[in-house]
Amino acid sequence: MRIDYNIKDKFDFWVLGSIIALITFGLMAIYSSTLNHPTAYGNFEKQLYWAVGSFIFLITVVFLPKQILRLSVVPLYVISIAMLLVVLFAGKTVYGAKSWLSFGPFGFQPSEFAKIGLILSIAYWFGNRQRDINSIKDIGIALIISGIPIILILLEPDMGTAIVFIVVTLTMIFWAGISLFSVFVVLSPGFVAFSSLFGTVYFLISLVIVAGLLFFFKRDLFFSITIFVINISAGFLFDFLFKILKPHQQKRIEAFLDPAADPLGSGYNAMQAKVAIGSGGLFGKGFLHGNQTQLRFIPEQWTDFIYCVIGEEFGFLGGIAVLILFLVIFIRLLHILSQVKDAFYSLIIVGILTLLFTHFAINIGMNVGLIPVIGLPLPFLSYGGSSLLQNMILIGIVMNIYKNRKQNV
Amino acid sequence: MNKSRAILVFFSMCIFLAMILIGLFRIQVKDHEKYKYLAERQQYKTETIIPVRGTVMDRNGDILAYSKKSVSYFVDVRMMNEDRIDRIVKKFAEVFKKRESYYKSLIKRSKKNVKIEGNVSDENIALLKSFVAEGLFSEEESKRFYPYGEFASHLLGYVDTEGKGKDGIENRYEPYLKGEEGKRLLERDVLGRTVSVMDNLTQPAKNGSTLVLTINRTYQSALEESLVKGLEQFGGKSAIGILMDPNSGEILALASAPFYNPANYNAVNNEIRRNIALTDTYEPGSTFKAIIMSAILNEGLAKEKEMINTENGIYKVKGAKIKDTHEHSMLSVREVMEQSSNIGMVKLVDRIDDNTLYKYVRDFGFGNSTNIDLPGETDGFLKKPSNYSKISKYFLSFGYEVSVTPIQMCAAFSALVNGGTLYKPYAVKEIRNSYGNISEENSPLKIRNVISKETSALIKDFMIDVVEKGTAKMARLENVLVGGKTGTSQKLVDNKYSKSHYNSSFIGFFPAENPKVVCFILVNSPQNGKYGGTVAAPIFKMTAQRILEADESLVPQNTKEIKRNDMFDKFMADIKEENEVPMLLTSNYSEESDESENTDNNLKSMGYMPDLQNKSVREAISMLTRLGIKYKITGSGNISAQSIKPGKKINAGQVCLLECSSNKKTSTIKLN
């Protein structure tokens, strides 16, 4: 049967408008921060072409037939893994991570592309009604699906993207309807590991809490002990992982714990970002008048620290405008989520929402000094073609689902 | 659809959003000022703009000292590596055309900052402007130039390496000369390179004021050259000279040899740099007699022609033995000055009571600094009457038991000859701000009247005689009448008056009719000769001659073209016509000149050489000048011999040598 949709039903203009506004903001900030820059001059134009190109992709994805999502899950996942493997051998090292594949003048990051594959494949796995979300086997398989790309990305190494993958996976598992106990099983090793970061005492306290909770859930003894052992080993493993982290990554974590200790070292960027945003004040210094930006106190500002260009030049009001635009997108995604009945599509939207939100929260969090410096771009604003293209495709997928929502029943 | 999970997801999102919002608010609104400060601190650098130090010029606008900004380049060796050194060395070798190894060793040798090039020319600055190297920086400093080198060094002082004025004018007028620093705000990028200068926030430097001195460069160089010549001729440790306008207290020249170059002040020690005309005291000796005499005359305690028994050169009083250089049995009060008789002074000073004398000497400025606008001046020492010994006053009468500075003597002598007013000496005429407008002006400051006009005229006249017929004949000038007083004082060495170290001084003034210049000359420990009349007076003469050559305005208007002999005549005739006695001629003299005039009239028509035997010098001069004969006089007293025999036919322009000897008998010179 044929339903006559009006244009409003086909497109969510709130999301579309917000994205265009954010891209515009981003282009202005890129223009400002690369103006007269010796090496990054021209980034504005490149980003502009990427923006136009990726917008065409978005529209294309919206008009793809809805079956294509299910059909493309396996090929996308396989291609993602393949590219992540290729990049480990043939990749170009940028900023200490072997994360770039280049074809002549054209380069992109497979880890960006893998995000689509990950979200679709996890959604596909739990979207199947035969799965028991609370069975260890099914959760384990889900963890393996996401674990392979995460390990490959960690090997590049790209901590930031790996964290995003972990958060997206966990949120999707949570959304799939996992029980409270399973949440505990999944999260407790992370909790213990994180505690171990602060020292032995915290590590021991966290173990006591885990033991107490195990007692509270009253599962059988063998199972409880297994969980506890996993927790203990998680603590040691994390300590081990911390040690194999690159020195600059260790320093970043240390710098976050005490940013003033080494203001010219790894705390430098965090400090300069805060100074830029803080000196912008309520109304900002005006477009192209942010001297912190123009004098290049923040290296590579057009990528991860793009938000502080806006904070400096457009002030608190500009900063809030960006937050509101993101908020509009998130609320609209939640709204679409509420209209989607199919578990597969619902999980996809949750994954995309989580992905965007994680990027947004971590990036802005590090710009304003709430969390340590983790190299993650701000969606739609940061300079970088693959990231923008990937985000636009994700939005295209959401809008595809939105457009076809009434056929999903 | 799991509603509670959706709410949980939404909730955690909201919490995170709220956290971001709070974080943003905190740094952008609450702590905005703090971050603004941090941003400005790293983005802006305040640079001081140094002012250009003020110019010092003489009274006619000749520049004696000026400053120019000079740029130097420094290298911070701690920031150097081989590449950077190579780059810098290469560039500098190319620009300054020196060997690369020169700069390299300069940089390698030092530990911190090293100046690799100083006083860089404007064109080289332009060449280096675009050259940016980490660790290389330039600094602007003000450099002081003294175009005449050692000229007026003690008067001007010098500027130390920190740009502070030390000694002299540079020191005393430091607040005016130094100007005010300005500020320039530079915007710097992350590498510390200057991106732009914030013009709207630039506060320009205020350059130092220009000082116009009372000094006359011509006078100063005349004085300095004469002092140097004098030292060459007579030997001695040092020579001091001061020229002062007696009618205002303006210092026209002030010097003490040996000099030094203020631009290279480190080459000499403090001893040489000290302005001894102000800082060092000495016992004035006979020059002081004029001061004492004026007090006695002003009190009316002596008449000029009154005869004083000078005891044939040795006089014992209250256990002290007073000696004269020239032994005379009797001298008039006028002659006591003329012949510089110690015994005469001792006898005369007994007439004035201690406190009155003390008041006069004090009023002439002794025992107090003159407050001249130059640093380092000392007070000297004047004994209070309550501390007098039995013989203190006697010694004071010929210039001992008192210590004075050259500038005090100069000021006191100005008062002696200017009609009796003591002026404060000063060296800066006016101060002009950086726009060229006069901001401050020094005008003559009368301190007090010390003696009456009449006394001043009389003592002036006495001192003319000192030059004309007394101890200072070597100070006489061709065409201008000079007055003055010599002084020869033994120096205290190890608390005993030395027989070999003297202070030889002469204080003269000219033109004597209306003194425009008082000139003080002091030679410290001369080797060849010791008397003020033979050491200091010739230096005075050299100085005065050069000044008169350069500055004809000092030669009295109506006699400019006339030879000095005629002028002197005319001067006497003028006085006679006006029938005024007190100015120059005394009754004693007018009688003599009356007499001579009668003879003159006879002589003039005859054109024969008169017999000058036993005539007084003045008489002889008067007669010879009327005949148009030039003369040269040696000795003192009355004429004892003449080179042109009496009755011989004479032509105008001939020179006649006259030898004088005192009828009171001249004998070996001891000490005056």
Side-chain angles (χ1 to χ4, degrees), chain B residues 92-106:
Chain B
F92 270 72
E94 182 196 314
V95 171
F96 294 96
K97 300 184 176 56
K98 289 184 185 167
R99 275 176 298 116
E100 286 187 20
S101 56
Y102 164 76
Y103 292 109
K104 206 161 236 174
S105 67
L106 208 61

Side-chain angles (χ1 to χ4, degrees), chain B residues 252-267:
Chain B
L252 302 171
L254 187 148
S256 52
F259 319 120
Y260 70 97
N261 188 346
N264 190 17
Y265 65 94
N266 263 331

Side-chain angles (χ1 to χ4, degrees), chain A residues 107 127 147-148 166 225 278 314 380:
Chain A
I148 293 168
I166 292 168
I225 288 171
F314 302 107
F380 309 114

Side-chain angles (χ1 to χ4, degrees), chain B residues 261-327:
Chain B
N261 188 346
N264 190 17
Y265 65 94
N266 263 331
V268 297
N269 58 22
N270 234 347
E271 193 69 21
I272 304 253
R273 292 197 295 252
R274 213 172 60 225
N275 190 0
I276 52 177
L278 270 61
T279 60
D280 285 19
T281 60
Y282 73 110
E283 284 182 298
S286 299
T287 47
F288 212 67
K289 287 171 183 165
I291 305 290
I292 303 293
M293 184 65 91
S294 75
I296 294 163
L297 293 172
N298 204 51
E299 287 294 300
L301 298 171
K303 296 216 170 62
E304 57 151 329
K305 50 183 180 171
E306 190 181 334
M307 294 308 282
I308 306 291
N309 180 0
T310 50
E311 313 280 349
N312 277 319
I314 295 186
Y315 176 49
K316 284 185 184 158
V317 57
K318 296 187 181 168
K321 204 157 101 183
I322 313 290
K323 286 182 187 171
D324 272 349
T325 313
H326 310 277
E327 293 157 14

